[in-house]
Amino acid sequence: MIGDMALRLAMVNGKARDTAALGRFWAQALDWTVFSDRPGATAVGPAGFTWPDPDALCLDFIAVPDPSTVHGRLHLDLATGSAAHQAELVARLRDLGATPADVGQGDVAWTVLADPEGNVFCVLEPRDVYRDTGPIAALVVDCADPPAMARFWGGALDWTVHESTGDFARLRSPGGTGPFLEFLRTSGTRAWWNRLHADLLPYPREAQKAEVGRLHSLGATDADVGQGDVAWRVLADPEGNEFCVLAH
């Protein structure tokens, strides 16, 4: 439930050439439904989802002319309950149009795939920590300083830090529901595509201006991604990852 939180992670926003096709892929991949499909924008969420659901996370795909120019450091990790489930899910995703991806992972227990527009994601082997997250185990962000990012995002969302080391940090909503938000130390320039960012929804929705001010005080900065005159505010976290504070 919302509780006293003033900001909620409401959506993961992705850029795409064909939003309807990518939305259908992810709806089938996660056993979700398409709850909004309009020209240039397709949103998917759990069965019965009605925007804005106070508890559920959804995915929203927005058309852009050239998605390859959009840069992001966030990817999805999908949860599985058993080795058989992992194998079945990977096979089903391949049938839906996912392809194997090599990001230098080597011989690992999880499977790295790319969706039909090239966005890399992982299908994890069974892990007890993700037993109750739903189909999305975690939103994973590459970064230089995981503890600092955990402090910023923990303050931004009022999420609980479950683990924090020099190389890795993990947060989750205080109610212990939904996916984790994780930060992984990386170095160098990444060669694969992910065009995802977080959309945050204020409660009450009229609190957008106050919440933007609070995020500035935590270290966020204004960002210009060519959005023009829009109702939402585009910000960047202390490592430059863009995110939006919605107005509705």
Side-chain angles (χ1 to χ4, degrees):
M1 297 301 292
I2 299 166
D4 295 329
M5 289 187 291
L7 275 176
R8 187 177 69 80
L9 177 58
M11 295 194 293
V12 174
N13 183 293
K15 302 298 185 284
R17 296 182 184 88
D18 187 337
T19 62
L22 196 58
R24 286 193 300 271
F25 168 84
W26 279 103
Q28 293 175 290
L30 301 172
D31 288 326
W32 283 4
T33 60
V34 175
F35 70 87
S36 177
D37 192 6
R38 58 196 188 279
T42 302
V44 304
F49 184 94
T50 300
W51 175 262
D53 187 301
D55 297 309
L57 176 74
C58 69
L59 305 180
D60 190 31
F61 299 101
I62 305 297
V64 296
D66 184 5
S68 66
T69 64
V70 178
H71 303 286
R73 288 179 284 176
L74 187 155
H75 75 264
L76 302 181
D77 280 354
L78 305 189
T80 62
S82 66
H85 180 206
Q86 183 187 19
E88 181 277 330
L89 180 57
V90 169
R92 185 160 62 86
L93 291 165
R94 294 287 305 274
D95 287 343
L96 291 171
T99 54
D102 185 352
V103 295
Q105 69 269 23
D107 184 16
V108 293
W110 58 91
T111 302
V112 184
L113 299 175
D115 72 18
E117 292 217 8
N119 297 295
V120 171
F121 64 98
C122 299
V123 181
L124 302 180
E125 75 283 7
R127 300 184 192 181
D128 189 57
V129 68
Y130 303 129
R131 67 189 181 280
D132 61 353
T133 60
I136 300 176
L139 316 178
V140 185
V141 182
D142 297 340
C143 67
D145 190 340
M149 290 287 277
R151 287 192 295 272
F152 171 82
W153 282 98
L157 295 170
D158 192 26
W159 279 24
T160 304
V161 178
H162 286 257
E163 182 178 350
S164 181
T165 69
D167 294 323
F168 178 78
R170 173 185 285 136
L171 315 177
R172 200 179 190 191
S173 70
T177 59
F180 288 84
L181 179 60
E182 299 180 348
F183 299 96
L184 181 66
R185 183 186 295 278
T186 56
S187 59
T189 302
R190 197 175 67 181
W192 61 95
W193 286 351
N194 284 300
R195 311 173 191 94
L196 307 178
H197 70 259
D199 281 350
L200 311 184
L201 185 65
Y203 280 95
R205 287 183 245 178
E206 296 76 15
Q208 183 199 50
K209 182 177 179 179
E211 285 303 305
V212 168
R214 186 175 68 85
L215 291 164
H216 283 153
S217 73
L218 292 173
T221 54
D222 294 318
D224 186 349
V225 294
Q227 67 267 24
D229 184 16
V230 293
W232 59 91
R233 293 288 301 274
V234 184
L235 303 178
D237 70 18
E239 290 204 12
N241 298 295
E242 290 138 3
F243 64 96
C244 296
V245 181
L246 305 178
H248 55 81

